[in-house]
Amino acid sequence: MFRKWHLFTPGPVPVAPEVLLAGARPTPHHRLPEFSAVLTEIREDLKKLFQTERPVFFFASSGTGAMEAAVANLFSPGERVLVVCGGKFGERWGEIAEAYGLFPLYLHVPWGEAVSPETVERALAQDPEIKAVLLQAHETSTGVKHPVKEIAQVAHRAGALVVVDAISALGVYPLPMDAWELDVVVAGSQKSLALPPGLSFLALSERAWERVETSRSPRYYFDLRREWKAYQKETTAYTPAVSLLLSLRESLRLVRELGLPRLFAHYALVSRACREGVSALGLEIFPQVPCEALTVVKLPEGLDGGALTKLLRRRYGVVMAGGQGKLKGKVVRITHMGYQSPLEVVLALSALELGLSELGWPVKMGAGVARALEIIRDKAEEVYA
Ligand SMILES: *Cc1c(COP(=O)(O)O)cnc(C)c1O
C-alpha cells in the first residue's frame, strides 16, 4: 500500500488520470471524418502552445525523431551548422548532423554555463557558410537555460536559421515561436507536454520551409513534404499514434483552460521554491542560469549521487534523476514538469533532506521545506487564484 511512486525525472513525467483515460478508449479509425475533427482540434491547440500561425507537425517517435526530422528536412550533405554544445543534448544535435553528412561546428560551452549571444555572433562571423545554429532552449542534462531570443536575432543578422530543441521547455516558460522568429521548434510528449512517451512535434518558420523543398538529404517517414500534403487534407501521411493523440487532445484542452500565462507562473514559482529550498540546505544549484523545468542540484563533495537516488527510489518510491555523462554521481535532477500539484515540490525537497541525512550528510531537516513553503505562500494567491 505504501508503494506509491513519485516521478521527478525529466521524462517520463507524471500524467493526469483524465489524460491517460482519454487514450484508453477504443481506437477510432484514423481515416474517418470524426478523427479528422480530432486532428484539426489538436493542430489548432498545438499552434497556440507553440505560439505560432505556422502548422505544427507530429510524429510517432520520441523527441529525438523530430530532431532528426529537422536536420533531414532542412539541410543537405556537406552543409555547415553551428551546434551549441554544453551537455548531452547539444551533443545529440551534433551526432544527428554528422549522421546526415553535415559538417557540425561545435561551440563548446562549459557544462552548466549558458552560451552568450556574442560568442555565437563571433562564431557565425568567422564562417559565413554556416546555415543554422542548433541549440537547446535549455540543456536538460545540466538545467541551464540559453538566451534563445537573443541568439535568434544574432543568427538572423548573419543569415542563419535558428533551430531550437524545446523538448523539455515548450509550455514551461515563454518561447513564443513567431514573436521571437524561431525557425524551428522541436518538442516531445513525455516531458513538458505531460503525456506518455511516443509523440514528437516540429514547427517550421516560412524561411525554414523554403529549405525543405531544396534539401538533398534522404528522408521518408520524416519527409515534411508528404506530411504537409496530408495536413492540408485534414489527415496524416501514415497511421498516427491514435491513442496518444487522444491523450494529447485532452492535455491540450487542460492547457487551454489554464492558459499559458498561468502555467508559466506555476513553473516559475515551484522551480524558485525548489532552488531556494536547496540553497537553504546549504547546497548549490548546478546551472548558472537555471531553467524552470527542472532543478539540478550540485551534491556535496564526497557524497555519492547514485547512492542517494537509489535510496530514495528503493525506500520511498521517489524517483529523481542522477547526472549524465561527466555529471554522473555529482548532481541530482528534480523535475517540475507534468501532472504535479504545487506542493509536490515540497515532497521532493523533504525526500532530498531525508536522503542526505540518512547518508550521513549534516543537513538541517526541514530547512529546505520551510523555505519552499514560504515562497509558495507569498505567491499562492497570485498564481493559483
Ligand atoms: C529528453 C530530451 C531529448 C531526447 O528526447 P527523447 O524523447 O528521449 O528522444 C532531447 N533534447 C532534450 C532537451 C531533452 O530533454
Side-chain angles (χ1 to χ4, degrees):
M1 281 305 285
F2 54 81
R3 261 290 168 232
K4 178 166 180 187
W5 292 99
H6 299 278
L7 276 189
F8 293 105
T9 48
V13 299
V15 182
E18 57 266 51
V19 171
L20 289 171
L21 286 172
R25 287 177 32 213
T27 315
H29 196 278
H30 60 284
R31 298 295 183 207
L32 295 180
E34 293 77 13
F35 196 70
S36 285
V38 173
L39 284 179
T40 303
E41 184 184 336
I42 288 174
R43 283 166 171 165
E44 286 312 306
D45 277 342
L46 280 173
K47 285 186 191 175
K48 291 188 195 114
L49 181 68
F50 278 67
Q51 296 179 270
T52 185
E53 294 297 321
R54 303 283 304 159
V56 180
F57 297 96
F58 48 76
F59 301 103
S61 77
S62 82
T64 305
M67 292 173 79
E68 175 157 353
V71 171
N73 281 279
L74 286 173
F75 307 110
S76 300
E79 284 187 334
R80 301 154 88 81
V81 291
L82 185 68
V83 172
V84 174
C85 190
K88 183 115 178 79
F89 295 109
E91 286 170 6
R92 187 163 304 177
W93 270 136
E95 286 161 10
I96 298 171
E98 279 174 26
Y100 278 83
L102 315 187
F103 285 113
L105 298 148
Y106 292 94
L107 187 54
H108 288 285
V109 187
W111 285 36
E113 287 180 25
V115 69
S116 80
E118 294 75 33
T119 320
V120 174
E121 191 163 34
R122 245 177 280 132
L124 290 171
Q126 273 169 17
D127 189 342
E129 280 304 305
I130 293 173
K131 302 292 184 220
V133 180
L134 277 53
L135 82 163
Q136 272 60 41
H138 67 253
E139 243 305 339
T140 317
S141 57
T142 66
V144 83
K145 194 168 167 183
H146 292 305
V148 169
K149 183 184 177 189
E150 289 75 15
I151 289 171
Q153 289 166 354
V154 162
H156 290 153
R157 273 207 297 276
L161 300 179
V162 63
V163 178
V164 183
D165 165 3
I167 291 178
S168 64
L170 197 82
V172 174
Y173 51 82
L175 274 176
M177 178 169 166
D178 289 359
W180 289 5
E181 297 185 16
L182 309 179
D183 294 296
V184 180
V185 176
V186 173
S189 58
Q190 82 280 20
K191 306 219 177 156
S192 53
L193 294 193
L195 288 164
L199 286 175
S200 67
F201 306 88
L202 178 62
L204 272 66
S205 69
E206 267 174 56
R207 190 173 2 197
W209 187 263
E210 284 167 21
R211 307 205 93 224
V212 174
E213 309 285 353
T214 55
S215 152
R216 283 176 285 104
S217 288
R219 58 210 132 131
Y220 191 89
Y221 175 74
F222 287 124
D223 192 336
L224 288 176
R225 293 167 297 187
R226 280 202 188 88
E227 270 311 325
W228 176 231
K229 270 194 202 133
Y231 187 110
Q232 289 165 297
K233 294 181 196 147
E234 297 188 314
T235 186
T236 52
Y238 312 106
T239 311
V242 174
S243 303
L244 283 171
L245 290 177
L246 294 176
S247 284
L248 172 66
R249 176 170 65 161
E250 187 62 21
S251 121
L252 290 171
R253 194 182 61 74
L254 295 174
V255 172
R256 195 195 321 135
E257 277 175 14
L258 270 177
L260 284 180
R262 289 188 78 198
L263 202 55
F264 295 156
H266 158 75
Y267 284 120
L269 180 58
V270 291
S271 62
R272 191 176 140 231
C274 193
R275 286 195 302 272
E276 296 218 10
V278 165
S279 305
L281 289 174
L283 298 174
E284 278 175 51
I285 301 298
F286 180 74
Q288 283 183 352
V289 185
C291 69
E292 293 90 334
L294 76 164
T295 298
V296 182
V297 183
K298 197 169 155 188
L299 292 171
E301 204 69 46
L303 194 122
D304 176 3
L308 177 67
T309 50
K310 192 164 150 189
L311 183 150
L312 293 179
R313 190 174 67 242
R314 293 225 176 134
R315 215 167 269 179
Y316 302 111
V318 169
V319 194
M320 293 181 183
Q324 293 165 289
K326 60 179 121 172
L327 288 181
K328 200 167 163 38
K330 297 188 175 146
V331 297
V332 61
R333 295 180 297 153
I334 304 171
T335 293
H336 313 299
M337 290 179 282
Y339 178 62
Q340 291 196 38
S341 88
L343 289 181
E344 258 152 291
V345 70
V346 177
L347 191 149
L349 282 167
S350 68
L352 184 66
E353 293 179 354
L354 198 53
L356 288 170
S357 184
E358 287 183 46
L359 287 176
W361 198 71
V363 57
K364 185 162 174 277
M365 285 225 276
V369 165
R371 185 69 193 123
L373 288 175
E374 282 168 8
I375 306 275
I376 293 172
R377 180 201 54 203
D378 292 347
K379 279 271 187 185
E381 199 170 327
E382 190 182 311
V383 177
Y384 301 110

